[in-house]
Amino acid sequence: MSEPTPALERRRRRTVAWVVALSTAALVFDGYDLVVYGTVVPTLLGDPSHLGAMTPTQAGTLGSYALIGVLVGALAAGAVGDRIGRRKVMLVNLAWFSVGMALTATTHSVQTFGFFRFLTGVGVGALVATVGALVAEFAPPGQRNRYNAIVYSGIPAGGVLAALVALGFGDTIGWRGLFWVGALPIVVLLPLAWFLLPESPKWLVARGRIADAERISARTGLPVPAPELHVPDKVGFPALATRDYAFPTFLLGMMSFAGLLLTYGLNTWLPQIMGEQGYGKSWSLAFLLILNLGAIIGGLAASFFADRLGAKRVVVSTFVLAAITLALLPLDLPSVVLFAAVALAGVGTIGTQVLIYGMVSNYYPTTARAAGVAWCAGFGRLGGIVGPIVGGVLVGAGVGGSTAFQLFAAVSLVGALVTSLVPRTRHVEQAPVEQQEPVAVGSTVTA
């Protein structure tokens, strides 16, 4: 039995820190893309000189184009991620996403704006699906929910960034400038990821590439993982259809559907709904800021309990929290109480989706992990598509925010019920090779 040296341990910690930092930064821009559209909707609705005349229903549908792209990108990444690796998918889609944001900033019609929003969504979906698998395979055992929460908190952090940029510079750089900001990953993140993001040793071992895993282990200080137990023979999406994973996969997809319906519905329409209730533009954007700040702080706090009590229990609790706070928002609450309710709603909606990604990425074995997270991100995005459309229909019909918030509260309760039905996972991980008695690792793993 061998123990890692202090030098190897320092190298391992540095590698994991870079993986977490790069993954978080990538998802910050995902969250930026999510929220920046909500910040420009009032401008596009109020001034047809930008893209042409637009109704609230059309704006809701237009906001869903990016989500359709996310669905396509997530499923595409899931189809190839378990076969070609995590690193390649990350690099390609950092560039893809950035180009999509830049092209969106140059559009002058509703049709081209919608098309490039879809194109951007493809890159976003691939990143969201891949990051969960990547972090689950680099995070230390017993801290995976926390690491996933840190990384996926990049999404609401991007929402905070979008709200701050819109508040501070929106009048100066205009809506086009806000989208140009979203194109920065190609010059900021992509070069760093190219040099500092290694392939997952766990994925290499699962694919039978032991020599490659050992080479990366020597360079990064990461342990060479032992083969997993109770792993399906099939790889990728076919593994999700096996007897052990078919029903849980359906439930996990429905959880994500509920979580993303709430996330996208609120981020797209909260400024508009609160504006119609008498709050000015700055106040409406402040609510968006508080919603996402609550998601970051609450999601990180909840992940601490998820590692100790189990993610399932915590997700059920945060879904119920969302239902309670969303039901309170239409009431005539004092300002302090209203801001607190919005923050807690962020915990129960966006924060819950952060926890769902962590739960899903740790549920599946390595040979199906990218596909499982992709299914969660892809099928869940159908909920993200429905959320803005429903909000747009309700606002366009003049129903008001009260009905929208009540509907979102009901979705939260359904999410809690579905989560409670998810069975325990069957796949089992062994300790890393250097923590076991010396064994011929190559003799126990097949390609």
Side-chain angles (χ1 to χ4, degrees):
M1 182 181 296
S2 62
E3 295 292 336
T5 65
L8 281 176
E9 179 61 18
R10 286 194 298 272
R11 206 176 303 163
R12 182 196 68 80
R13 292 190 180 193
R14 186 165 60 247
T15 299
V16 173
W18 271 115
V19 170
V20 171
L22 290 169
S23 299
T24 304
L27 292 190
V28 164
F29 284 95
D30 174 19
Y32 182 92
D33 174 73
L34 160 65
V35 173
V36 74
Y37 179 68
T39 68
V40 305
V41 163
T43 299
L44 298 180
L45 285 174
D47 187 354
S49 67
H50 295 291
L51 296 176
M54 187 186 305
T55 67
T57 301
Q58 287 175 321
T61 303
L62 195 63
S64 297
Y65 287 171
L67 306 183
I68 297 172
V70 170
L71 170 62
V72 173
L75 295 179
V80 301
D82 288 317
R83 297 183 182 277
I84 70 172
R86 320 317 187 193
R87 173 181 156 84
K88 291 178 182 177
V89 177
M90 283 283 290
L91 294 176
V92 168
N93 286 284
L94 278 171
W96 186 304
F97 165 83
S98 301
V99 171
M101 289 291 280
L103 291 173
T104 303
T106 66
T107 57
H108 292 276
S109 71
V110 172
Q111 291 76 18
T112 54
F113 183 90
F115 174 75
F116 288 125
R117 289 289 292 157
F118 167 82
L119 186 70
T120 304
V122 172
V124 171
L127 287 173
V128 171
T130 305
V131 160
L134 186 73
V135 174
E137 292 166 11
F138 279 91
Q143 299 181 48
R144 288 174 181 165
N145 283 293
R146 194 182 317 171
Y147 274 69
N148 266 283
I150 291 171
V151 169
Y152 279 103
S153 289
I155 297 177
V160 171
L161 176 64
L164 288 174
V165 172
L167 279 169
F169 305 100
D171 293 336
T172 303
I173 63 177
W175 72 267
R176 297 183 189 277
L178 295 177
F179 279 94
W180 277 113
V181 171
L184 289 176
I186 199 168
V187 295
V188 177
L189 291 183
L190 185 59
L192 288 173
W194 181 274
F195 290 105
L196 296 171
L197 184 67
E199 185 54 88
S200 161
K202 188 170 291 188
W203 176 81
L204 291 169
V205 169
R207 298 298 290 165
R209 295 169 56 181
I210 308 303
D212 290 336
E214 291 173 343
R215 186 161 50 250
I216 289 179
S217 176
R219 189 176 78 245
T220 64
L222 297 165
V224 178
E228 296 173 335
L229 304 177
H230 302 297
V231 175
D233 295 331
K234 298 178 180 179
V235 176
F237 283 119
L240 306 187
T242 59
R243 183 180 61 182
D244 289 337
Y245 291 104
F247 182 60
T249 294
F250 168 75
L251 293 175
L252 292 168
M254 292 303 297
M255 286 167 52
S256 186
F257 181 96
L260 286 169
L261 186 155
L262 297 169
T263 295
Y264 279 81
L266 284 174
N267 271 303
T268 299
W269 288 108
L270 185 62
Q272 186 75 16
I273 290 173
M274 300 308 284
E276 291 182 355
Q277 292 185 1
Y279 296 94
K281 179 180 178 181
S282 295
W283 280 104
S284 297
L285 289 175
F287 285 123
L288 201 60
L289 182 65
I290 292 170
L291 182 80
N292 284 276
L293 279 174
I296 296 170
I297 298 171
L300 289 172
S303 71
F304 178 85
F305 294 101
D307 278 326
R308 285 155 178 75
L309 304 176
K312 177 178 171 177
R313 293 181 183 178
V314 178
V315 171
V316 170
S317 300
T318 53
F319 263 133
V320 172
L321 176 66
I324 295 171
T325 52
L326 288 169
L328 291 175
L329 288 184
L331 304 179
D332 187 17
L333 302 172
S335 296
V336 174
V337 178
L338 179 60
F339 281 130
V342 170
L344 290 175
V347 178
T349 54
I350 308 169
T352 294
Q353 186 61 30
V354 167
L355 296 173
I356 289 172
Y357 281 128
M359 179 176 171
V360 171
S361 62
N362 292 309
Y363 195 88
Y364 294 99
T366 303
T367 52
R369 183 169 286 122
V373 179
W375 163 256
C376 173
F379 182 79
R381 244 52 181 206
L382 294 176
I385 293 167
V386 170
I389 292 175
V390 169
V393 170
L394 293 175
V395 171
V399 173
S402 178
T403 301
F405 287 138
Q406 290 169 1
L407 178 61
F408 290 150
V411 171
S412 301
L413 291 178
V414 173
L417 175 62
V418 170
T419 305
S420 68
L421 299 176
V422 176
R424 295 184 62 180
T425 181
R426 290 190 71 249
H427 93 273
V428 179
E429 295 184 12
Q430 300 185 73
V433 170
E434 64 262 33
Q435 296 177 13
Q436 302 178 0
E437 295 298 329
V439 178
V441 177
S443 66
T444 63
V445 181
T446 58

